[in-house]
Amino acid sequence: MNIVNNRSDMAINSVNVALGAILFAAPWLFGFGHEAWASLNARLSGGIVILLALLAVLHTHDWEEWLNVIAGLWIIGAPWMLWFDDVPAARWIHVIVGFCIVAIAAFELYRLYHAPDGTNAERRRTR
């Protein structure tokens, strides 16, 4: 299990909290609160992203980032898996926020496994 603990992680996790909050509030902000599946998925997925980001504030573990990848992929695919792809606002907010979450998690995983400052070698020695 790899761990990173520095100030740039706080900014990255803050962005994830903001993305989760946007997704959580999206049914009201973008007017698809009347769509049951879209609204429910936005609230649940947004809450999960916020929870994962708050957990990662303490220490960034690789498993948290992998869960973010899974959550982001779910968010991207949810409009088609839950049949609300005919609601453009819900579809696009899910796809955009999900893509951002996956991209941020991929960046964090890259940092965890390929740290250019030499801390990666130190972390691997302590495992």
Side-chain angles (χ1 to χ4, degrees):
M1 172 172 54
N2 288 334
I3 301 171
V4 168
N5 188 17
N6 62 30
R7 296 225 180 249
S8 66
D9 286 333
M10 183 65 81
I12 291 169
N13 291 321
S14 297
V15 171
N16 271 344
V17 168
L19 288 169
I22 289 168
L23 189 60
F24 186 86
W28 301 282
L29 292 175
F30 298 102
F32 61 88
H34 62 282
E35 295 290 334
W37 285 110
S39 181
L40 179 64
N41 187 70
R43 289 191 310 262
L44 289 176
S45 297
I48 289 169
V49 169
I50 291 170
L51 178 66
L52 289 172
L54 291 176
L55 285 174
V57 165
L58 301 173
H59 288 290
T60 301
H61 298 277
D62 55 355
W63 60 267
E64 291 166 340
E65 298 309 324
W66 284 112
L67 288 177
N68 269 331
V69 169
I70 293 168
L73 291 174
W74 167 260
I75 293 166
I76 291 169
W80 293 274
M81 291 186 281
L82 298 177
W83 303 289
F84 60 87
D85 59 318
D86 58 338
V87 182
R91 180 182 62 227
W92 284 111
I93 195 68
H94 277 81
V95 169
I96 292 168
V97 169
F99 178 78
C100 291
I101 290 168
V102 170
I104 290 170
F107 173 72
E108 282 288 285
L109 286 169
Y110 175 79
R111 285 184 54 223
L112 283 168
Y113 291 110
H114 303 299
D117 61 355
T119 59
N120 189 33
E122 183 178 318
R123 281 193 307 268
R124 287 189 182 188
R125 275 186 261 144
T126 60
R127 281 203 277 175

